[in-house]
Amino acid sequence: MATAHVPSVQYECPVYQYVVRLGQCLRRFWNVHIMGFFIEEEEEHISPSQIFFHKGKIVALGQTLRNKSLAIEERAQAAYRIGLLAFTGGPTAAKFAAEHMKEVAHLLQSAQAAPEARILLLQSVACWCYLNPITQRRAKFLQLIPILMAIFGNAPESSKTDVNNTLQVKFWACYTLSVMTCNNLSYVEELREHSKFKYQLQALAQKDWAGWPENFAEVLYFLIGFHRH
């Protein structure tokens, strides 16, 4: 198979410059697409009362997440909000949220989960893992990398809507893996072992990433180091 050209990534630039740029990009994207929906929860300092508030909210949302009688979309929305609370509440809230991430991992593998629900679940994981080595290690223990890698092997259905929905899920999977990988060498090493992933990212990099601040297939391709092999 011929190697596809991955456009626009300047591989000759120093690694530290790219990582700095990535960090700035993730922060901008986070503020616009993630925190914009939850801005009332963001605080610079987390007081004991706020920690108690976050824990109470996470416990209540966790009950919704685990309630199998509810629609997957409703459970995914609860997962999304747990992830946001894990981010805004600091390391202590992230620890509370960890108790519910096994259920998030299970839902990501559900064949009944619609694309919109999968995106919410991916956003939950990204929030939970954002610049947090402890939660990233926990995510690895939960086998989230194989779970996310399976998304890239999913073939879209025949209709244009199904193709677009599948593509959006893959875009969010690229973003989530970029968040998890940008400061974690163990993720880089594990992802590099997936031989087909290089070509899957090359194909995704050719798609239309309009509306995103970066082509996160390219970002992930570079972070993993596929450009050097």
Side-chain angles (χ1 to χ4, degrees):
M1 179 177 178
T3 301
H5 174 64
V6 180
S8 78
V9 174
Q10 300 298 315
Y11 294 141
E12 66 274 12
C13 70
V15 172
Y16 78 91
Q17 290 182 0
Y18 195 86
V19 171
V20 169
R21 178 166 162 251
L22 173 60
Q24 294 170 342
C25 167
L26 289 175
R27 172 58 66 178
R28 289 197 306 271
F29 187 75
W30 200 270
N31 289 338
V32 173
H33 294 274
I34 303 292
M35 296 310 300
F37 299 103
F38 208 67
I39 196 67
E40 71 273 11
E41 298 291 346
E42 185 172 17
E43 294 287 347
E44 291 296 324
H45 172 70
I46 308 299
S47 67
S49 62
Q50 289 171 318
I51 291 174
F52 181 79
F53 167 79
H54 279 74
K55 181 179 181 180
K57 295 277 284 187
I58 289 171
V59 168
L61 289 165
Q63 292 174 347
T64 300
L65 174 61
R66 293 192 302 272
N67 188 342
K68 293 180 172 57
S69 67
L70 298 175
I72 289 180
E73 289 73 17
E74 187 174 350
R75 297 168 68 193
Q77 185 66 235
Y80 168 71
R81 292 181 66 83
I82 287 172
L84 288 170
L85 286 163
F87 173 73
T88 60
T92 302
K95 182 179 179 181
F96 298 145
E99 299 175 11
H100 308 287
M101 285 299 155
K102 184 176 181 180
E103 194 65 38
V104 173
H106 286 160
L107 286 178
L108 274 170
Q109 298 175 84
S110 172
Q112 284 73 47
E116 294 81 4
R118 288 181 183 273
I119 288 172
L120 288 170
L121 294 166
L122 289 167
Q123 290 172 340
S124 176
V125 174
C127 290
W128 182 54
C129 289
Y130 187 76
L131 297 180
N132 188 327
I134 296 175
T135 56
Q136 288 169 6
R137 287 195 296 271
R138 177 64 178 170
K140 197 167 186 180
F141 175 79
L142 292 173
Q143 298 295 307
L144 276 168
I145 288 186
I147 291 170
L148 294 183
M149 292 301 297
I151 291 173
F152 296 96
N154 291 340
E157 302 295 332
S158 57
S159 74
K160 183 176 180 180
T161 299
D162 288 335
V163 170
N164 289 337
N165 287 339
T166 300
L167 197 57
Q168 287 301 312
V169 173
K170 291 180 179 180
F171 282 4
W172 275 103
C174 285
Y175 173 76
T176 301
L177 282 171
S178 296
V179 168
M180 299 166 74
T181 303
C182 70
N183 66 329
N184 196 312
L185 182 59
S186 67
Y187 277 90
V188 171
E189 293 171 344
E190 183 169 347
L191 290 171
R192 198 178 290 157
E193 293 175 358
H194 294 264
S195 57
K196 294 182 180 180
F197 195 36
K198 175 178 181 178
Y199 305 105
Q200 290 167 334
L201 288 178
Q202 287 174 344
L204 284 173
Q206 305 288 342
K207 303 298 182 181
D208 182 10
W209 284 76
W212 293 75
E214 291 283 346
N215 182 323
F216 283 102
E218 290 182 352
V219 168
L220 193 53
Y221 187 95
F222 183 90
L223 287 172
I224 297 170
F226 282 144
H227 61 288
R228 296 193 296 268
H229 303 279

